[in-house]
Amino acid sequence: MYISVYLSFCVAIVSWVGVGISTPIHDSYINYTTVTGYFLQDEASTNTSTFSFIDTNFGLINRTYATDATYDPNGQKTQWQRFENQIFRLNRESGRKVQYKLVFMGRHGEGYHNAAESYYGTPAWNCYWSLVDGNGTVRWDDAQVTPEGVKQALAVNAFWASELKIQKVPPPRSYYTSPLTRCLTTANLTFSGLDLPSRHPFVPVVKEFLREGISGHTCDRRGSKSYIQQAFPNYRIEPGFTETDQLWQAYRREVEIDQDIRSKAVLDDVFSTDDETYISITSHSGEIASLLRVLGHRPFRLATGAVIPVLVKAETVDGPAPITATVPYEAIWTLSPGQANIMAVVHALDDYYLAITLLITIAYQLFFFSIAFSLKFDKLTDFAGGTNFVVLAILTLAFSGHNHARQIVCSLFIMLWGARLSGFLLFRIIKTGKDDRFDDKRDKFWSFLGFWVFQMIWVWIVSLPVTILNSPNVTQFDQPAFGTGRDIAGVILFAIGFILESVSDVQKYIFRSKPENKGKVCDVGFFTWTRHPNYFGEIIIQFSIFMIAVSPSAYGYVTGGAFSAQYAAILGPFFLTLLLMFVSGLTLQERPGAKKRYKSGNHWESFSRYTKRTSILIPFPPQLYEPMPTILKRTLFLEFPIYVFDPAKHADQNKIREREAEEGNSNGQQSGQSSHDGHADGQIG
């Protein structure tokens, strides 16, 4: 609804000039809304990937209407007859500035361009194959329908015949179609031979603005006016239709808002000049998606050959529409033939990029492992892990052939995080010289390789939200414009997490770099509120990226298997969280660190006080955390018993007694000296 209002105020298109639209000021404009409650396709609960218009009577909901009591008191009319009467009443009772129309929107049957995209994969198609006329065997410029596409259109024709006869569906009184061949053919196959009213035969009007989203793809370049007149002599072509295609540009495409503007223009033209209530539009997936946005309808992706009716309320609103103009077309990404062949291999592996990213990760890690093991060189280990995230993000974004803001933001976020992490760890290892973690593994091939295998798993799984977002099975769907509530929340959380992790790493490094702090507890900066601010920041970062990446599914744009895949990608941040909490993070830092301090007596008392007043992970004021009941610390604040060090249970008692005895002798000597000096203050054990 909101985009309809916005576009209504912004545009009343009267001319199209290459890359822009200019609009004069009018004293009124048309506002469109979808009237819900009548069709399943209007309901948020309907799954677009499993919806069948044939199995559901065009999606018409089996319900009663207020008009039934007088129109069909004996219950003998069909659902469609009663719905037709309901629309009649809506129009009769509306004011002169309001009209209701039922628009049947049909997508063309499968074209050769659809088959080619399925064969080569979306990335290779978008960046190379779609930009040429064909592959030497098949042509797809202004694509014809395939035999499967013909079959789909004929199935819809048979369905229409059944619905007209049995359900008494009101047939369209006016027909409109895109000028592209696949739509011209589909419309003809769909409506030819039907028992239509003699006053309203199938004579479609060819309208320029019903074409697919204009891009550099040759399948979107229409044929000439003369070609259409010759191939479809019974069709009417709208006035002003140019002989050659003046809108298509090689290697460039219109942006989404521009498409919505021309979609509103064509609707304005139809609703202003056509008095019929029942209208058919044969168009394309992208253009139907645009029409639905203008009508305020939920996103609903149609399969090839599919049809959905939409009940539209059009209200003429007094007031001028401001002058506006579109932005220029944007450039599209391209590939060389060799790169396109590589992309075809990627597509053959899988359309979620799971296999190709796994293979790249394995190769990347094994390359650095070979260097580290051969040269006994620790400095590249963590660097290889962090930079692997950068590599996967860059490649999957490039493979996708799309540059949606959400993909770019998520990819940049994980690249920024990976680059900072690897850069900091490389700097630190250069300063320290070696990594103590590998002292018992560096010379053992299988033990050392085991670490690198685990690093492969870590990189691949944590990258999943971005990998799947950039994959063809997700990018084939439309996306909500970047800036949703989830997007904003995700950006804010990422900023918080990134600052928390990066600043705390620097704070700890500076603290430990000072000789006077050797062995002391780092309780400065963020470490006053949590013992592991870097871990908490890292967890927040990964969940924020997932929050942004899953937006297309959360808002209903992505459906089916891609919907499930996007939500399954939450495995990435959960895996990282479990890793930090139960494998390589807190479990190695907390109890073992405390045990080591207790055994050596290295600032144990100050460390013990620090753990009692400071949250283990979630930042919290120490003044409030220290007096908190233990049960809350162990549950709400995640300080599980596995992290807690109890000297009576976990320390080597023999060594402790030996240390206490040594301390006792030392203290006894000091006490005797103190008594001699007249400053006796007691003796410890």
Side-chain angles (χ1 to χ4, degrees), residues 137-210:
T137 302
V138 175
R139 292 183 65 94
W140 48 70
D141 54 321
D142 190 15
Q144 302 277 347
V145 292
T146 65
E148 177 63 24
V150 172
K151 181 180 177 181
Q152 292 170 345
L154 292 177
V156 177
N157 177 275
F159 177 65
W160 263 111
S162 173
E163 290 288 282
L164 291 171
K165 181 179 180 180
I166 299 174
Q167 296 296 331
K168 309 300 182 184
V169 174
R173 267 62 167 184
S174 297
Y175 301 85
Y176 298 94
T177 178
S178 158
L180 296 173
T181 298
R182 52 193 180 274
C183 287
L184 300 170
T185 302
T186 297
N188 186 56
L189 292 171
T190 299
F191 293 105
S192 292
L194 295 178
D195 186 14
L196 301 174
S198 58
R199 293 178 55 192
H200 302 285
F202 171 65
V203 182
V205 178
V206 180
K207 299 192 76 64
E208 185 82 271
F209 282 4
L210 285 177

Side-chain angles (χ1 to χ4, degrees), residues 180-323:
L180 296 173
T181 298
R182 52 193 180 274
C183 287
L184 300 170
T185 302
T186 297
N188 186 56
L189 292 171
T190 299
F191 293 105
S192 292
L194 295 178
D195 186 14
L196 301 174
S198 58
R199 293 178 55 192
H200 302 285
F202 171 65
V203 182
V205 178
V206 180
K207 299 192 76 64
E208 185 82 271
F209 282 4
L210 285 177
R211 64 193 294 167
E212 181 60 297
I214 303 167
S215 70
H217 298 189
T218 59
C219 59
D220 297 333
R221 184 182 63 212
R222 72 164 171 85
S224 67
K225 180 178 179 180
S226 300
Y227 156 76
I228 296 173
Q229 290 172 325
Q230 182 178 0
F232 303 92
N234 295 328
Y235 286 20
R236 291 166 48 206
I237 299 179
E238 66 177 341
F241 194 87
T242 58
E243 171 62 22
T244 58
D245 192 345
Q246 301 296 307
L247 305 182
W248 186 86
Q249 296 181 27
Y251 305 109
R252 303 189 70 79
R253 64 184 173 198
E254 67 177 341
V255 297
E256 183 179 280
I257 190 63
D258 289 355
Q259 185 175 3
D260 291 351
I261 288 173
R262 68 174 169 87
S263 296
K264 177 150 193 324
V266 74
L267 287 172
D268 285 350
D269 180 52
V270 170
F271 276 73
S272 299
T273 61
D274 193 332
D275 294 331
E276 298 298 340
T277 301
Y278 300 93
I279 291 173
S280 168
I281 292 177
T282 305
S283 190
H284 313 261
S285 62
E287 176 56 19
I288 291 174
S290 176
L291 291 169
L292 292 178
R293 287 194 295 270
V294 174
L295 297 175
H297 195 281
R298 61 171 291 211
F300 202 91
R301 186 174 181 85
L302 273 67
T304 49
V307 181
I308 60 168
V310 178
L311 182 58
V312 179
K313 177 184 178 182
E315 181 177 7
T316 301
V317 180
D318 293 330
I323 298 175

Side-chain angles (χ1 to χ4, degrees), residues 5 7-14 23-32 96-97 99 264 268 272 315-323:
V5 174
L7 293 174
S8 296
F9 272 106
C10 287
V11 294
I13 300 177
V14 295
T23 62
I25 298 177
H26 294 288
D27 57 3
S28 64
Y29 60 93
I30 302 176
N31 180 53
Y32 299 98
R96 64 181 181 84
K97 294 186 176 182
Q99 57 177 315
K264 177 150 193 324
D268 285 350
S272 299
E315 181 177 7
T316 301
V317 180
D318 293 330
I323 298 175

